[in-house]
Amino acid sequence: MNNNKPGLADYMLAVMDQILGSAAVEKEVSETEKVRIREINEVTVTERYMTIREWEVNA
């Protein structure tokens, strides 16, 4: 896990969520698909980067 950029995971997940929201409107993505994509994004990002909360706990 990369801990030299605290909060990067929070930022990346927020951006991905905005992109997913825009894409969902254009491509008519179902709620089930959006949930699945969000779960994959969360796992992928949090394996690599720290959230603000994790950084504060480890500080």
Side-chain angles (χ1 to χ4, degrees), residues 5-6 9 16 21 25 27-28 30-31 35-38 40 45-48 50 52 55-57:
K5 295 187 179 180
M16 288 178 176
V25 171
K27 302 293 181 183
E28 298 178 4
S30 71
E31 283 299 317
V35 168
R36 187 178 61 81
I37 292 168
R38 280 189 185 108
I40 292 168
V45 169
T46 55
E47 283 178 352
R48 296 180 184 165
M50 279 189 164
I52 285 288
W55 184 77
E56 289 172 345
V57 168

Side-chain angles (χ1 to χ4, degrees), residues 1-2 9 40-50 54:
M1 182 181 318
N2 184 346
I40 292 168
N41 287 346
E42 186 173 340
V43 168
T44 303
V45 169
T46 55
E47 283 178 352
R48 296 180 184 165
Y49 303 102
M50 279 189 164
E54 288 173 318

